Amino acid sequence: MTNPLLSTAALPEFAAICPEHVQPAITELLAAAQAALDEATRPETPADYDVLSRILDTATERMGTAWHAVGHLNAVADTPALREAYNAVLPAVTEFSTAMGANEALFAKYKAVVAAQGDSLSAPRQQLLKHAIRDFVLSGAELQGEARERYAAIQERSAELQQQFSEHVLDATDGWSYIATADELAGVPQDVLDATKLDDGGHKITLHFPVYLPVMQYAENRALREKLYRAYVTRASESGKPEWDNTAALREIVALRQEEAQLLGYANFADVSLAPKMASTPAEVTTFLSDLAKRARPFAEKDLAELREFAKGQPLESWDVSYWSEKLKEARYAFSDQTVKLYFTATKVVPGLFSIIERLFDVSISEAHASVWHETVKFYEMRRGGVLIAQFYLDLYARNGKRPGAWMDEVRSRWLKPSGEQQTPVALLTCNFAPPVGDKPALLTHDDVITLFHEFGHGLHHMLTQVNDLGVSGISGVEWDAVELPSQFMENFCWEWDVLCQLSGHVDTGEPLPRELFDKMIAAKNFQSGLMTLRQIEFSLFDMRLHATPGSEADVQKVVDDVRAEVAVLVPPSFNRFQHSFSHIFAGGYAAGYYSYKWAELLSADAWSAFEEEGVFNPATGKRFLNEVLEQGGARDAIENFKAFRGREPKIDALLRHQGMA
């Protein structure tokens, strides 16, 4: 039987991929990629862009596609056997990637291409080569002897630790549950009770967000909220099972990053992280965050004072905040998230989203057939003028074995292959919403709707590119602190009346969202925006200071505590260990980059203000955003994309106005 990971079919056979396929396939594909690297770096191989792409990109892209498929399954359909297979080949993949990134002969070949062809190449190819030269330096290509060997060892160990960190968070989340009685769950919405009910009448409460959040918001039982909160914020820490404790892993990850920075000649890892980003120094980022914190603090203090007043002397610990906030919101705006949720069914929201995309960017979206990893996963095609331009998978619902959170990843990127064949991009869009119960469609909170639009914004960035060179097509090559621009931009549609009319339909009656309820949602849009802004700044400053201060791994908790003392108006309890499950920076790509959410929010708010000025569905504005931002991918610096769309440098005014902090 053919190994599905070695198939040359257009799409991965996800349903057919088994753990036993991983090692032989990846070993074979790594060997082919190594052979291509050897050929590309021979002295007799011409220093020619097309020649190198034909030799190297063809082999590495095929290997990368297979590895992406394995990594995706590891994230959304984790099993002990798949995890073992993934971890068995992870060191070899990391070793090859590290060796290729630091290959002196390939580095020399790329510099020779720049010298020989330089200005004669297209703008995207010039950008790609500029990035490549920079990335070779950041990947240790200029290191020699022991320093080079140590750099490679750091990469391998770091990959192993980051995977371990992610596994511990998943296992700690899946591994905790509490059987609650109906009485203990007084106040909790009926759909959550239905989803958690056991045959014996009890309710299995877990740390998965579709269960955790509504219990924290609505459960009248304070002791239950404290129990759940304590379990959630100490996941994968010393408070839980020793085999899931991330304390040692996160310390070693930070120490290895600082050592890597020193090997590369940088003062700290934050400098390394910022080298390919829009922001230039840790000081620039810290100044941006501190300025935003000063602007937000009066609003956060007002938010907290109002909450304390509303609670009328009741205790207001961290496990009480969501509960009293929801009560205050209901009292002030006369609606609850639960009321709104009844109007947003997945069966209405998803087609509504597609309709907006079709209208704005002149495409059509239709369901198609492909091999999938779970029965609830859907596959779609995107066309323009009848021509296929992209495809994507949509995996909406939470389940055991699926990593928490929401994200966009890729199966493959747009590429005009050396053979002349046009490869269309394929995206993976993953969320963790509460699944449907019985014969009712899944209900989405308005925050869920925003999350779906956010991830689809990343998907559009990946799928609508018109750039044909790997490395700068789609989101590839886009500065990390600008990559959230399209995703955060798309969130704005979720606050437009005409849009919500398309997205909504009551689960029982089919009636669209009432205008009166929408007006209340708008009034409540910036509810506690000061508190939420400070919370994001707290995470961002912790991340930046941790990675900008050599030796910080010795006392990570002190970094957390110092930032909270400076920024927070409501300090969490001393047992809170949020950093132990902070996968964004310890197992994702956001190390010394978490600030990018706020940085890109500034860009996206300013970009959206153009639609506010010219019309939300103004075809000329939509086309300009498509042409100057989405289609450009990483072929141009992000600031140039922004200025081409907006006609000027970005301003902070729109961000403050959109968040009610003008």
Side-chain angles (χ1 to χ4, degrees), residues 480-533:
W480 196 266
D481 40 6
V483 81
E484 297 292 336
L485 165 57
S487 55
Q488 293 180 345
F489 164 84
M490 286 298 298
E491 293 181 17
N492 293 285
F493 286 99
C494 303
W495 295 101
E496 293 293 322
W497 169 243
D498 290 344
V499 170
L500 291 190
C501 284
Q502 293 181 47
L503 300 182
S504 61
H506 193 281
V507 64
D508 294 323
T509 67
E511 290 295 314
L513 187 77
R515 179 71 200 216
E516 180 186 9
L517 182 52
F518 170 75
D519 289 341
K520 291 174 181 176
M521 291 167 63
I522 290 295
K525 178 186 176 187
N526 291 316
F527 178 65
Q528 296 185 341
S529 64
L531 282 173
M532 287 187 281
T533 297

Side-chain angles (χ1 to χ4, degrees), residues 89-108:
V89 293
L90 178 60
V93 174
T94 305
E95 182 182 0
F96 173 78
S97 176
T98 303
M100 181 173 162
N103 188 290
E104 289 181 87
L106 187 60
F107 185 25

Side-chain angles (χ1 to χ4, degrees), residues 380-391 412 414 424:
Y380 298 90
E381 292 183 341
M382 187 181 289
R383 297 177 182 272
R384 181 180 287 132
V387 177
L388 180 71
I389 59 171
Q391 297 164 306
R412 64 171 189 240
R414 180 182 169 96
T424 54

